[in-house]
Structure formats: structure tokens, C-alpha cells
Amino acid sequence: MSIAKKITGQAGIYFAGTLFSVAIGFFFKIYISKELGADMLGVYALGMTVVSVLSVFLSLGLGNGLVRFVSKYLAQENYTQLHTYLRKTLGITLVMSVISASLFFLFPEFIANTLLKSPELTPYLSYFGILLIINAIITLCDQTIRGLQEVRKSTLIGHFVRLPLKIAVAVGFITMGYQLEGYIWAEIIGAIVALALFFWLIKKLLPKQMPKLSLRSTSKINKEERTFGNNMLLINTIGLLRSEGDKILLAIYLTTTDLGVYSIALTLTAFVPTILLSVNAIFTPIISQLHTENRMMELKKYYQASCKYIFVLTVPLIVFLIVYNQPVLNVFGEEFKLGGQVLILLLIAQVINISTGSVGMMLNMTGLERVSRNSTIFIAILSMIGYLLLIPKYGLIGIGIVKLLALSLQGIYAVFMLYSKQQIQPFNTSYLKISIIFFISALVYYYLGFGLLDDLGQPLWLFVALCITYLIFVSIFLVFSSREDKQFIKSLINKSAKK
């Protein structure tokens, strides 16, 4: 199977699964926001933030190396070291997650009241402790499957089994009156079922030549693995200041209602990089493989192509959400419309994020994780300073400003370092041409469409507007695309027709 076909095929399946999740998840989020309200939604968001913060430390950075080293050792047929890496990573994660989860059971009042200034979280912390352990192992499974380059199979479990099961259980529990407690238990039950299926899938996918994971390792974690793990641990630890610090400081300086409003803005923003994440899911191990085999020209070609198509397929969604931010937020409830301005700032920041494609993965998978680490440290420190200065004064708007500046600086630095070290850049003539045309088109669309659906902000009309937005921008791309792009699109259509 060619690399281009593998990327488009598996990324397409991952995207289809994500699109399915987005569709039913969107309506489920509307249901949850109306049933629980902004306050309880904020409590849930804070609990998940605590889980995310602790999850970074559980594998001591080794979990982040699974995509890289599973792919590498399979290419080298080094099954002994593959066995060692999987077994050691799983063992460390289990021990660390159990120790961390015990803190939720032993000191719930201290964590909720003293550290987070949110006593509403106290009765739910033990549930989040259970979820911490399960999610830690699921993360390892997901990274392993990505390293095995079988994203499509894990997509079926994550998107078509876990999510629908969670929604069904949550609706049942909430209908019976369990509210937030029922929502969290639905998350736990869905995670347990997904974990069992992931274990079965990994057992089936691992090469038969590799020793069973139940057997003791005959080798140790080597220097390369430990160095990569240490760098990724530092990157992720410092990155928490940027990715999760905003929510923690929001809970301290503002209210859980503000956090609930912000969580909806983040939910909508999280849909934006769906295509980028779909490409990353399969492209990351391919980057490692091509770099290991010193096929750098191929890597440059696929990276630039992926950047352009990610941009083309994502910009229409960003434009739609910016233009119709108020009617979209109103779907969740009148109180959530307060998040309109911060949503726009977050969306503009995402333009920077998606325009450079998989630049972060390019750095990490080509031996430049130290560059990524240094960038993360610098941006995280600046972000925390920004949050401390702007959140007390400007609230949610302050967060949006900091996010926009942070993603812009990090994207520019990552592109500069990738080019200086590997002579690879995301932009070529074709990509720059489309970017300029899309920017002009977005400005025209904004002034024509702004305020159009404020009085007709029903989900059906919003869906129609989204489809029209995509139709306009995709048509513009087809008109101004290069001959190579047209040939590539035609080949994909022909292959799909044959299937």
C-alpha cells in the first residue's frame, strides 16, 4: 500500500469516525448543557482538568514514545526491545495511576476546597479517581495502535462503541435523576468497555514473533527511549501550564459558571482541528518510518500536501463558527452566549494551528523533540504570566488573547526550527495561493453573513448555513487549485467509485 493511500485511507476512516462523534456529540452536549446547566458543567470540566493534569505524569513520558518506537521497532523487526518498551511502560503507568487515584479518595476536601477553591467538586472526586486509572491505560492503548498504523480499527472502538454507549448510559442515569453523578458514571462505563476492546485489538495486532507481555523482559529501557521520554515528560508537564492552567485559574478567580461557559467555547473549538488530528493519527508513525529510512524528500512532499488539504477542509468550519457564533452558542442555552468573544479569539488562534499542519509531530518524530520541549517551556511560561495578568481583569476575553498570542508564537517558532534543521517548510506556491484566496473570501463572507441567522438560529438553519459555507469554499478551491491537486482529487474519486 502506498504511503499516500495509507494516509488518505486511514485518515479518512478516522475522520469519518470523528465526524460521527461530532454529530451525535454536538446534540448530546446540547442535552447535557440544558440538563446540568453551566454550573454543573463547570464542575465536570474542572474534574476532567484535574484528571488531565495528573495523567501527564503517569507514564513518566514513556507513553508518548509508543507511536515513535512501536513503529520504529516494527520496521527494524526488533521484537525484544518492543516487548520491553510496552511492558515497562504499562507497569509504570499502572503503579503511578493507582497512587495518584488514591489521593482522590483520601483527600477530596483538601483537593477541592484548599487547592481548587471549588467545594462543589468534593463529592465527585472519587469517581474522577476511577476514571483517571482507566483513561491512563486507554491512552497507552491508543498510542500503541497508532504505532502499529491501524488507526481505523481503534476508531471503530472509540467513536462507534464507546461514545454511543456513554451517551445511552448518561441519558438513562440523568433521566433517573442522577444528574452529574450519572454523567460521570456513564463516562466510566464507556471507558471500561473500550479498554477491554482495546486490549483484545492490541493482542491481535502485535506480531507473533514478539514475546507475550506476561513474560518478564529480557532487556531494559535504553538511553534513546529514556531521553525521548524525559523530553516528552518535560514538554507535557510545562505544556499543562498552557493547556490546563486557564481552567484552573478560571476556577480560582471566577466561578464554575464561567468555567461552564468556557467549556462550551472549548467544545466548539475542539471540533476545528478534527481533520488535523485525523491526519496526525496515521501520519505520525509514518513520519518516524520515513525519517528512520532517510526518505526526507518524500516526507517533505507528504507534509506539504497534508498541510494544504488540512487548511482547505478546516477553514470553512472556522469561518462558519466566527460568523454565526451567537446563534450557535444559543443552541446550548442563552447563558452560553456570553462566550461569543472568547470563541472568536480561540477560532482565530486555530487558524494558526491548522495552517502549519503536523509541525509538532514533525519535530518530535525527526529527533527534534528538544526544540519542541524548549518551545513548549517558553510558551507555557508566557501563557501563565498572561493568564495571571489578564484573567482577573478581563475574564474570558483575557484567556482568548493569551491563547491567540501563544499559538501564533509557537507555530512561527516551530516552522522556523523545522526549516532550519530539516529544510522542510509547510508552505509552497500552491498553498500560499490558496491561502490568500481563502482569506479574501472569508472577509467577504463575514461581511455578507454577519448577523444573518441571529433571529433564525435553529439547528436546522445552522446546518444549512454550514453546508453552504463548505460548498462555497470547496468550490473556490476547485476553481483555483493546481493541476496536481485536480489530478489527486480525481484519483481519489475514481478509487472510491471502484470500491
Side-chain angles (χ1 to χ4, degrees):
M1 180 185 294
S2 69
I3 292 177
K5 186 176 180 181
K6 180 180 288 188
I7 293 174
T8 55
Q10 295 216 37
I13 293 172
Y14 185 92
F15 175 70
T18 305
L19 197 62
F20 171 78
S21 298
V22 167
I24 65 171
F26 179 78
F27 292 105
F28 177 63
K29 201 72 174 184
I30 295 172
Y31 169 79
I32 287 295
S33 63
K34 292 183 182 296
E35 290 292 327
L36 301 183
D39 186 40
M40 284 292 98
L41 205 59
V43 172
Y44 175 79
L46 184 58
M48 292 303 294
T49 296
V50 176
V51 170
S52 298
V53 169
L54 290 177
S55 295
V56 167
F57 306 97
L58 300 182
S59 69
L60 302 182
L62 294 175
N64 297 98
L66 284 167
V67 175
R68 175 177 177 177
F69 291 112
V70 168
S71 179
K72 177 179 179 179
Y73 293 143
L74 285 176
Q76 296 176 342
E77 298 184 355
N78 189 352
Y79 302 122
T80 299
Q81 195 60 31
L82 174 60
H83 170 264
T84 297
Y85 196 83
L86 289 173
R87 181 178 169 83
K88 295 288 186 183
T89 303
L90 178 60
I92 291 171
T93 303
L94 277 173
V95 172
M96 292 294 292
S97 60
V98 170
I99 293 174
S100 300
S102 66
L103 300 176
F104 287 64
F105 290 89
L106 297 175
F107 309 107
E109 293 184 359
F110 174 77
I111 294 173
N113 298 348
T114 306
L115 295 181
L116 300 175
K117 309 295 183 183
S118 301
E120 306 95 329
L121 183 61
T122 304
Y124 306 105
L125 268 177
S126 58
Y127 303 134
F128 284 111
I130 298 171
L131 197 57
L132 174 70
I133 299 174
I134 302 170
N135 278 355
I137 308 303
I138 285 180
T139 300
L140 296 186
C141 293
D142 179 64
Q143 296 290 310
T144 301
I145 294 170
R146 287 175 62 189
L148 292 165
Q149 301 183 22
E150 287 291 350
V151 176
R152 56 187 176 185
K153 295 178 181 177
S154 64
T155 298
L156 295 175
I157 296 173
H159 294 290
F160 295 102
V161 176
R162 180 180 180 179
L163 180 60
L165 176 62
K166 181 188 81 170
I167 291 175
V169 174
V171 171
F173 279 147
I174 291 174
T175 302
M176 290 187 286
Y178 289 101
Q179 298 299 308
L180 181 57
E181 183 180 2
Y183 184 25
I184 300 172
W185 267 113
E187 190 81 56
I188 293 172
I189 292 171
I192 290 174
V193 173
L195 180 60
L197 292 173
F198 275 133
F199 274 139
W200 169 80
L201 178 59
I202 290 174
K203 183 179 179 181
K204 184 178 178 181
L205 291 175
L206 285 174
K208 296 180 180 179
Q209 300 94 320
M210 193 190 83
K212 294 182 179 180
L213 287 176
S214 57
L215 298 176
R216 184 171 297 180
S217 302
T218 57
S219 59
K220 297 181 179 180
I221 295 292
N222 60 40
K223 183 178 179 180
E224 182 188 9
E225 295 164 351
R226 174 45 60 195
T227 300
F228 184 85
N230 289 339
N231 283 326
M232 293 307 299
L233 178 60
L234 184 57
I235 289 172
N236 292 333
T237 301
I238 301 299
L240 283 173
L241 299 177
R242 182 168 55 89
S243 63
E244 303 294 343
D246 52 351
K247 304 183 192 70
I248 295 174
L249 290 177
L250 259 181
I252 293 174
Y253 285 111
L254 302 177
T255 66
T256 51
T257 299
D258 292 314
L259 183 56
V261 171
Y262 182 55
S263 71
I264 292 297
L266 287 179
T267 296
L268 292 171
T269 309
F271 295 156
V272 172
T274 298
I275 295 174
L276 172 60
L277 296 175
S278 301
V279 172
N280 281 349
I282 185 59
F283 192 37
T284 300
I286 290 174
I287 296 171
S288 177
Q289 176 187 338
L290 292 176
H291 179 256
T292 301
E293 298 171 353
N294 198 31
R295 296 157 63 185
M296 300 305 292
M297 291 304 296
E298 281 188 74
L299 180 55
K300 178 180 178 179
K301 171 188 171 183
Y302 291 123
Y303 172 55
Q304 290 183 340
S306 67
C307 286
K308 178 167 58 178
Y309 289 113
I310 289 167
F311 180 83
V312 168
L313 294 174
T314 305
V315 164
L317 177 59
I318 295 176
V319 173
F320 166 79
L321 290 174
I322 289 177
V323 174
Y324 305 116
N325 71 88
Q326 287 298 292
V328 169
L329 288 168
N330 189 53
V331 172
F332 296 90
E334 185 71 26
E335 59 186 331
F336 294 101
K337 292 174 70 175
L338 296 173
Q341 289 179 310
V342 69
L343 175 60
I344 291 175
L345 290 170
L346 293 175
L347 290 169
I348 295 173
Q350 281 299 322
V351 174
I352 308 297
N353 182 40
I354 60 101
S355 64
T356 56
S358 308
V359 65
M361 295 298 103
M362 288 288 290
L363 292 174
N364 291 335
M365 295 296 116
T366 58
L368 298 175
E369 64 272 7
R370 290 186 179 182
V371 173
S372 183
R373 177 198 65 189
N374 296 338
S375 169
T376 300
I377 293 173
F378 178 70
I379 296 299
I381 293 173
L382 282 183
S383 296
M384 284 303 294
I385 294 173
Y387 292 145
L388 290 169
L389 291 175
L390 298 184
I391 288 178
K393 188 173 182 179
Y394 299 106
L396 296 178
I397 302 299
I399 291 180
I401 294 172
V402 174
K403 290 277 189 183
L404 175 56
L405 293 176
L407 276 177
S408 300
L409 287 174
Q410 188 168 32
I412 293 170
Y413 178 75
V415 169
F416 171 77
M417 293 305 297
L418 181 63
Y419 180 72
S420 63
K421 298 292 184 180
Q422 301 288 6
Q423 287 71 56
I424 296 176
Q425 73 282 343
F427 306 103
N428 54 28
T429 304
S430 174
Y431 186 10
L432 287 173
K433 174 185 172 183
I434 290 297
S435 299
I436 294 171
I437 293 171
F438 266 37
F439 177 74
I440 296 172
S441 302
L443 289 178
V444 174
Y445 187 87
Y446 176 82
Y447 285 107
L448 291 177
F450 184 74
L452 188 62
L453 292 180
D454 284 354
D455 298 326
L456 298 171
Q458 299 299 318
L460 177 60
W461 285 109
L462 290 171
F463 178 74
V464 171
L466 176 61
C467 293
I468 292 174
T469 305
Y470 262 96
L471 180 62
I472 291 171
F473 280 88
V474 171
S475 298
I476 292 171
F477 170 69
L478 292 176
V479 170
F480 292 98
S481 60
S482 64
R483 181 181 300 176
E484 183 181 359
D485 289 326
K486 288 183 172 68
Q487 290 175 345
F488 177 71
I489 294 169
K490 185 178 179 180
S491 67
L492 285 180
I493 294 173
N494 290 336
K495 288 177 183 177
S496 299
K498 289 179 181 179
K499 290 181 180 180

